[in-house]
Every structure is written in C-alpha cells, then in structure tokens.
Amino acid sequence: MKILLMGHPNVGKSVFFNRLTGANVTESNYPGTTVDYTKGWMKIEGGDVEIVDVPGTFSLDPKDRAEEVAVAMLHENRDAKVISVIDASKIERGLYLAMEIIEEGYPMVIALNMRDVAEDKNIVIDADRLERILGIPVVSTVAIAGEGIKELVSRLKEAKPVNVDDIIANAANASDTTGAADAGGAA
Amino acid sequence: MKLNTGERWDLIDRISKETVTFGAYRHTLKDAIGELTVKPMTGIPVAIAVMYGFWSVFGSFAGFFTDGFFVRLFDAYWLPWLQEVFPGQGEWLYAIMVDTGGIESGEFVLSSNCLESFGVLTSGLFVAIGVVLPAIIIFYLMLALLEDIGYMPRLAVLLDTVLHRVGLHGYAIVPTILSLGCNVPGVTATRILETKKQRFIMMTLLAIFIPCGAQIGIMQDVVPDLMGWILLYLIIGYFVFGYILNKIVPGKAPEFLIDVPPYRRPLLSNIGKKVGGRVRGFFVVAIPFVLLGCAIVGVLYQLGVIQFLGDTLAPVFVGWFGVPKETAGPLIAAFLRKDLAVAQLSAITMTPYQMITAVVLVSIYFPCVATFAMMLKEGWKELIGSLAVLAVVVFTYGGLIHLIGILLGVA
C-alpha cells in the first residue's frame, strides 16, 4: 500500500512524514520547504506501508516546479491512498484541494492539522459533522506535538473513494437539519 | 464526477457553514510581533538587527573554536607530529600528504602552519574540520532557528520591492539564504519560483555571487579585515547583474503571493535533527571533496601543471585581473571546494587589494562541482546559459574590480 501526504505548503506534511516513518526530512516554518518528494516506510498492523512526503500544492493545477512534482506524484500513483493535511485555521481552501483529489477518485483521510493555531484564532471546527458530510475519516491533529497521529493511523483503513454527489446530498441534508433547528436560517 | 471551480467553492461554502464557527478575532501578542516585523518602518530595523546578530554570533562562535582551539591543535601538535613521523621528507608523496615546504636560502624548510603546508592531511583536514566545521555548525543552528520561528517569510515580504528590480520577488530570499549555507540546497529551492525566467536568474545569481557557509567560514578566518569589501563586491554584483539579466532574459516575473505563517516556538528536537542532518551531509559530501581537491592540486603542483598554467595565463591574471599568477592553483581547487581555494590563496603573498580581487574571483568563477551537478540536474539548457553568463561576469566584473583598484590607487 502507498500513502501520499498532500496539502498546501506549510501545513505540516513533513512533520507527519517524520512522525509516521521516523525519518528526518527537513521541517521548517515557511512554505516551500519540501520541493521534491521523499519516500519512507512504516508498519501498520504488521504490513509495510510506503509513505510519500509530497511537496505542497495549492491545487491540482500546478504553478511552479515544486507543484508540478506534487501533481505528477499523485497522477503516477492511481492506487494510492491520500492523507490530506489541512491547516485547520485555513480550512476552506484546504478543502478545495481535498475535494479536487476526492473527485479524481482517491480514497482519503483528512488530518485537520494545527488545531492549536485554529484555537488561537477562535476557529472551532465540528470534525464529526465534517466527517459525516464528507463520508471519510476526519481527525484533528497537532502534528508537531504528536497529537492525533495515532488516531489518524488507526483510521487509515477506513479511507475510501466517495462520490461527490453523496457529499452534495449530505451537505444539503445537514443544512436542512440546522435549518429546522434555527428556524430556516440556512437557505 | 468532477465539479467546476465555482461549484466546488459553493459546496465548500455550504460544508464550512455547517461545520466551522469563526469566533471573534483576537489580536494576540504573536500577531502584534508579526506585524512589527513586516511593516517597513519597524521591520527594516528589526531585519538589520537580526542580520547583525546572526553575523556577530557566527563570527564569534567560529572564531572561538577555530582560533582558540583548532589553530593551536593543528599548528602546534598535529603538523609538527606529522612532519616528524611521515616518511620521505622532501619527496612527492610527503609533499602531497603533509607539507610542500619551501626553499629558503637554498635549503628545504618545513612550513610553520597548516595553511601554508598544502598537504592533504594537514591543510585539507585543517580547513575541513578546524575552520569550516565550526562555521557550518553555527550557521545551520541559527538558520534553523530563523526557519522554525517563521522569520524567513517576513524577510521575504520586506525585501520584495528590492528583489523585483532584479526580476525576482521577495521569496527569492529563501534560496539566497539557503545558498549562504550551501549552494546545493539553494539551487533546489529555486523550484518555488514560478517562471523559467525567475528560476534561471536565481540559479545564475546563486552560483555566481552567493558564497557558501564553508567559504564564508574560511574567509572569516584568513582574511577577516577584508571581508567587508569582498561581501560588498559580491552583493553589488548580485544586484547589478540581476538587473541586467532581468532586462535581457525573456519571460515573466510575476508577483508573489505568500502565506506568512504565525510565529512558532521552535522545537529543540527539530532544530537538533536539522542541524545534525546538515552537518552530517557536510561530513559525507564536503570533507572527501576538500581532501580530494587538496590531493589534486598537490599532484598538479608536483607535475608542474600549475606553474605552466600560471605562466600561460599570466597576462590574464596579472594584466586583466591584477592578481599574481600563482592564483591559478587556487582557481583549480575552487572547482572542487571554494573553502580550500580561499585557504590556498591566503598562503600566496599579495597586497590586500589583490587578495580582495582574488577572493571575489574564486567566489564568482565556476560553481563548485556539487553545485554544478545539481544545476545540471535542474536542466542542462539553463546550466549552459548560466555558464555563459558566468564567463561574461568573471571577465567584466573581475576587470572592473581591477579598474576600481587602479582608480583608487590601491591596485
């Protein structure tokens, strides 16, 4: 099995990679630290799993060489699972890339990383609800502190491809229920 | 099924409405510090302070270990001991490995220090371990701190306007600063620039004008009082030739958009890992090259190749650049390691201004072999282009520096 760590620049992919594989790829606090991919191995339930630290990209429509590497990596590994690492304080645009990858049919789990930074900014995310809408595992993490990594690994097996129509339907249902609750607040 | 951009954003809007609550924005201390270091009025003084602090810690740390410890160890114990026990004094193997020595009033005399001995086991080891290693360690330690705190993107924002003049943008500061450690990761980091034009300009400027940490370390040791001039010539060259390249290289230099990350408290474990990894890289990659470079130059000396080259190229060296013809030897070594080349220059007798010119020449002339290989990997067309620019720069800039010296009456 192969797992790709994908997400925007500077969301912590390399930190996950080092945590998961025990490797030492360079981690820094600026976008663009990783410009080439690195592969490593980890054991999950006795099996060897290959993990790839992919350079950060904003979308699947590359605008520099590092992003080209990222998109090529995804497209060369049609059978891979994706851990989509999202900066919880910038969740919407993180979801944009995640959606693009989901639409291409990749099984995915989402790591809502930097929960601490989001909390600092007073942003609260209902991860369970997000999980129900998307239909894939969503785990809150603080990768540099190691929080949530175990849960993320244990839920990798639940990663599965989802149909965008289902997500649209789930989102509509969810807003119906809130709509009922706060008397038609959401149209 | 695939969505188009609009549909995708609509869906995400709906999802985020259901799952995310944005509380009131609180202005935290971190935000306040973040703003102070980005706004030009306060940010520029902070940047100058940070750079000055970097420089003085670098200088005093490296100086403390090199002059306070390694110079004594190597010159007082290691060199005399090797001169004593290594067999075959005066023969070619002795000359290459330990000491080429010198002739004084017709007699063979041994060198008194590790910079003059030119031996693989003496000069080579001294340069690699005694001078460059402490410099590399402190450089990477401080670089890791700046990286992990999150200062680099702020520096990028501050320098954006200036770097636009040379066809780049603020983010070019990242490859530039990485190159001050070693040009190899600097070249790879050019991948974060958007267009071919920017990547070409960046790579060329790095290879020509940015001295690596090893070279800065040795300069700090052997020509500390000339450092200012040397760096000034390199910085001026970076901007002047960047400006020219920007005018003549076709292509676009777009604006840059960057997320400035929040400041974070650096994790000791991560700093340790990064510095450890980079220093290990130095041991594995650089030290063999220093020793090899030392050996090759030693052999070429023994065979008379360097004297021959020096004599042949004397008109260029003496007439055009205004440096002694013995500079030919270090320039050959410079292809393998620039730090070694600077060390060898320091053993040649010349005036301070000739030394400035020679060290600048070593810096701007051919990239070291590791950088060369990395540039080749990034694209052979760009490499050939960079080398063409380099040839022009070496001749015009080298001559210009000589001319400035003549006008100032020091050359």
PDB file of all heavy atoms in Angstrom, chain B residues 128-143:
ATOM      1  N   ALA B 128      38.883  21.650   6.556  1.00  0.00           N
ATOM      2  CA  ALA B 128      37.587  20.983   6.681  1.00  0.00           C
ATOM      3  C   ALA B 128      37.093  20.968   8.115  1.00  0.00           C
ATOM      4  O   ALA B 128      35.953  21.347   8.393  1.00  0.00           O
ATOM      5  CB  ALA B 128      37.686  19.563   6.137  1.00  0.00           C
ATOM      6  N   ILE B 129      37.946  20.545   9.036  1.00  0.00           N
ATOM      7  CA  ILE B 129      37.478  20.351  10.407  1.00  0.00           C
ATOM      8  C   ILE B 129      37.741  21.565  11.284  1.00  0.00           C
ATOM      9  O   ILE B 129      36.881  21.994  12.045  1.00  0.00           O
ATOM     10  CB  ILE B 129      38.126  19.082  11.010  1.00  0.00           C
ATOM     11  CG1 ILE B 129      37.577  17.871  10.261  1.00  0.00           C
ATOM     12  CG2 ILE B 129      37.851  18.983  12.504  1.00  0.00           C
ATOM     13  CD1 ILE B 129      38.266  16.590  10.584  1.00  0.00           C
ATOM     14  N   GLY B 130      38.911  22.145  11.140  1.00  0.00           N
ATOM     15  CA  GLY B 130      39.283  23.245  12.021  1.00  0.00           C
ATOM     16  C   GLY B 130      38.559  24.538  11.714  1.00  0.00           C
ATOM     17  O   GLY B 130      38.219  25.303  12.611  1.00  0.00           O
ATOM     18  N   VAL B 131      38.331  24.810  10.439  1.00  0.00           N
ATOM     19  CA  VAL B 131      37.745  26.106  10.084  1.00  0.00           C
ATOM     20  C   VAL B 131      36.292  25.978   9.657  1.00  0.00           C
ATOM     21  O   VAL B 131      35.411  26.662  10.166  1.00  0.00           O
ATOM     22  CB  VAL B 131      38.549  26.780   8.941  1.00  0.00           C
ATOM     23  CG1 VAL B 131      37.971  28.148   8.647  1.00  0.00           C
ATOM     24  CG2 VAL B 131      40.018  26.868   9.300  1.00  0.00           C
ATOM     25  N   VAL B 132      36.033  25.078   8.706  1.00  0.00           N
ATOM     26  CA  VAL B 132      34.705  25.063   8.107  1.00  0.00           C
ATOM     27  C   VAL B 132      33.666  24.411   9.012  1.00  0.00           C
ATOM     28  O   VAL B 132      32.541  24.887   9.110  1.00  0.00           O
ATOM     29  CB  VAL B 132      34.765  24.400   6.715  1.00  0.00           C
ATOM     30  CG1 VAL B 132      33.381  24.259   6.143  1.00  0.00           C
ATOM     31  CG2 VAL B 132      35.636  25.222   5.792  1.00  0.00           C
ATOM     32  N   LEU B 133      34.038  23.363   9.694  1.00  0.00           N
ATOM     33  CA  LEU B 133      33.055  22.664  10.532  1.00  0.00           C
ATOM     34  C   LEU B 133      32.413  23.572  11.598  1.00  0.00           C
ATOM     35  O   LEU B 133      31.188  23.621  11.684  1.00  0.00           O
ATOM     36  CB  LEU B 133      33.697  21.419  11.164  1.00  0.00           C
ATOM     37  CG  LEU B 133      32.748  20.532  11.953  1.00  0.00           C
ATOM     38  CD1 LEU B 133      31.656  19.959  11.063  1.00  0.00           C
ATOM     39  CD2 LEU B 133      33.504  19.404  12.638  1.00  0.00           C
ATOM     40  N   PRO B 134      33.216  24.307  12.400  1.00  0.00           N
ATOM     41  CA  PRO B 134      32.559  25.199  13.370  1.00  0.00           C
ATOM     42  C   PRO B 134      31.655  26.227  12.682  1.00  0.00           C
ATOM     43  O   PRO B 134      30.561  26.520  13.176  1.00  0.00           O
ATOM     44  CB  PRO B 134      33.733  25.904  14.059  1.00  0.00           C
ATOM     45  CG  PRO B 134      34.928  25.094  13.781  1.00  0.00           C
ATOM     46  CD  PRO B 134      34.690  24.367  12.501  1.00  0.00           C
ATOM     47  N   ALA B 135      32.107  26.753  11.533  1.00  0.00           N
ATOM     48  CA  ALA B 135      31.310  27.759  10.827  1.00  0.00           C
ATOM     49  C   ALA B 135      29.980  27.167  10.366  1.00  0.00           C
ATOM     50  O   ALA B 135      28.924  27.786  10.514  1.00  0.00           O
ATOM     51  CB  ALA B 135      32.096  28.299   9.631  1.00  0.00           C
ATOM     52  N   ILE B 136      30.041  25.953   9.826  1.00  0.00           N
ATOM     53  CA  ILE B 136      28.835  25.296   9.323  1.00  0.00           C
ATOM     54  C   ILE B 136      27.855  25.009  10.462  1.00  0.00           C
ATOM     55  O   ILE B 136      26.653  25.218  10.336  1.00  0.00           O
ATOM     56  CB  ILE B 136      29.227  23.967   8.633  1.00  0.00           C
ATOM     57  CG1 ILE B 136      29.925  24.242   7.314  1.00  0.00           C
ATOM     58  CG2 ILE B 136      28.045  23.066   8.427  1.00  0.00           C
ATOM     59  CD1 ILE B 136      28.981  24.702   6.236  1.00  0.00           C
ATOM     60  N   ILE B 137      28.398  24.538  11.580  1.00  0.00           N
ATOM     61  CA  ILE B 137      27.519  24.196  12.707  1.00  0.00           C
ATOM     62  C   ILE B 137      26.758  25.428  13.178  1.00  0.00           C
ATOM     63  O   ILE B 137      25.540  25.410  13.303  1.00  0.00           O
ATOM     64  CB  ILE B 137      28.320  23.566  13.866  1.00  0.00           C
ATOM     65  CG1 ILE B 137      28.819  22.189  13.453  1.00  0.00           C
ATOM     66  CG2 ILE B 137      27.458  23.472  15.127  1.00  0.00           C
ATOM     67  CD1 ILE B 137      29.714  21.525  14.485  1.00  0.00           C
ATOM     68  N   ILE B 138      27.469  26.527  13.411  1.00  0.00           N
ATOM     69  CA  ILE B 138      26.791  27.710  13.945  1.00  0.00           C
ATOM     70  C   ILE B 138      25.862  28.312  12.895  1.00  0.00           C
ATOM     71  O   ILE B 138      24.767  28.767  13.205  1.00  0.00           O
ATOM     72  CB  ILE B 138      27.792  28.750  14.503  1.00  0.00           C
ATOM     73  CG1 ILE B 138      27.062  29.873  15.238  1.00  0.00           C
ATOM     74  CG2 ILE B 138      28.674  29.353  13.427  1.00  0.00           C
ATOM     75  CD1 ILE B 138      26.319  29.426  16.465  1.00  0.00           C
ATOM     76  N   PHE B 139      26.272  28.265  11.629  1.00  0.00           N
ATOM     77  CA  PHE B 139      25.403  28.808  10.585  1.00  0.00           C
ATOM     78  C   PHE B 139      24.078  28.044  10.538  1.00  0.00           C
ATOM     79  O   PHE B 139      22.998  28.632  10.547  1.00  0.00           O
ATOM     80  CB  PHE B 139      26.081  28.739   9.210  1.00  0.00           C
ATOM     81  CG  PHE B 139      25.220  29.317   8.116  1.00  0.00           C
ATOM     82  CD1 PHE B 139      25.280  30.661   7.821  1.00  0.00           C
ATOM     83  CD2 PHE B 139      24.321  28.521   7.421  1.00  0.00           C
ATOM     84  CE1 PHE B 139      24.469  31.205   6.834  1.00  0.00           C
ATOM     85  CE2 PHE B 139      23.501  29.053   6.441  1.00  0.00           C
ATOM     86  CZ  PHE B 139      23.576  30.401   6.145  1.00  0.00           C
ATOM     87  N   TYR B 140      24.166  26.727  10.518  1.00  0.00           N
ATOM     88  CA  TYR B 140      22.940  25.941  10.413  1.00  0.00           C
ATOM     89  C   TYR B 140      22.088  26.015  11.666  1.00  0.00           C
ATOM     90  O   TYR B 140      20.865  25.935  11.598  1.00  0.00           O
ATOM     91  CB  TYR B 140      23.261  24.496  10.035  1.00  0.00           C
ATOM     92  CG  TYR B 140      23.512  24.363   8.560  1.00  0.00           C
ATOM     93  CD1 TYR B 140      24.601  23.666   8.068  1.00  0.00           C
ATOM     94  CD2 TYR B 140      22.654  24.970   7.644  1.00  0.00           C
ATOM     95  CE1 TYR B 140      24.831  23.571   6.701  1.00  0.00           C
ATOM     96  CE2 TYR B 140      22.877  24.886   6.288  1.00  0.00           C
ATOM     97  CZ  TYR B 140      23.955  24.186   5.821  1.00  0.00           C
ATOM     98  OH  TYR B 140      24.171  24.103   4.484  1.00  0.00           O
ATOM     99  N   LEU B 141      22.737  26.178  12.812  1.00  0.00           N
ATOM    100  CA  LEU B 141      21.974  26.316  14.046  1.00  0.00           C
ATOM    101  C   LEU B 141      21.116  27.584  13.970  1.00  0.00           C
ATOM    102  O   LEU B 141      19.918  27.566  14.253  1.00  0.00           O
ATOM    103  CB  LEU B 141      22.933  26.385  15.238  1.00  0.00           C
ATOM    104  CG  LEU B 141      22.269  26.458  16.603  1.00  0.00           C
ATOM    105  CD1 LEU B 141      21.522  25.168  16.897  1.00  0.00           C
ATOM    106  CD2 LEU B 141      23.295  26.723  17.693  1.00  0.00           C
ATOM    107  N   MET B 142      21.725  28.670  13.533  1.00  0.00           N
ATOM    108  CA  MET B 142      20.967  29.922  13.505  1.00  0.00           C
ATOM    109  C   MET B 142      19.966  29.941  12.361  1.00  0.00           C
ATOM    110  O   MET B 142      18.881  30.492  12.502  1.00  0.00           O
ATOM    111  CB  MET B 142      21.937  31.078  13.434  1.00  0.00           C
ATOM    112  CG  MET B 142      22.813  31.035  14.667  1.00  0.00           C
ATOM    113  SD  MET B 142      23.301  32.628  15.197  1.00  0.00           S
ATOM    114  CE  MET B 142      24.272  33.059  13.852  1.00  0.00           C
ATOM    115  N   LEU B 143      20.334  29.325  11.259  1.00  0.00           N
ATOM    116  CA  LEU B 143      19.392  29.238  10.142  1.00  0.00           C
ATOM    117  C   LEU B 143      18.149  28.450  10.571  1.00  0.00           C
ATOM    118  O   LEU B 143      17.016  28.855  10.308  1.00  0.00           O
ATOM    119  CB  LEU B 143      20.046  28.556   8.939  1.00  0.00           C
ATOM    120  CG  LEU B 143      19.137  28.391   7.720  1.00  0.00           C
ATOM    121  CD1 LEU B 143      18.774  29.737   7.135  1.00  0.00           C
ATOM    122  CD2 LEU B 143      19.802  27.522   6.656  1.00  0.00           C
TER     123      LEU B 143
END
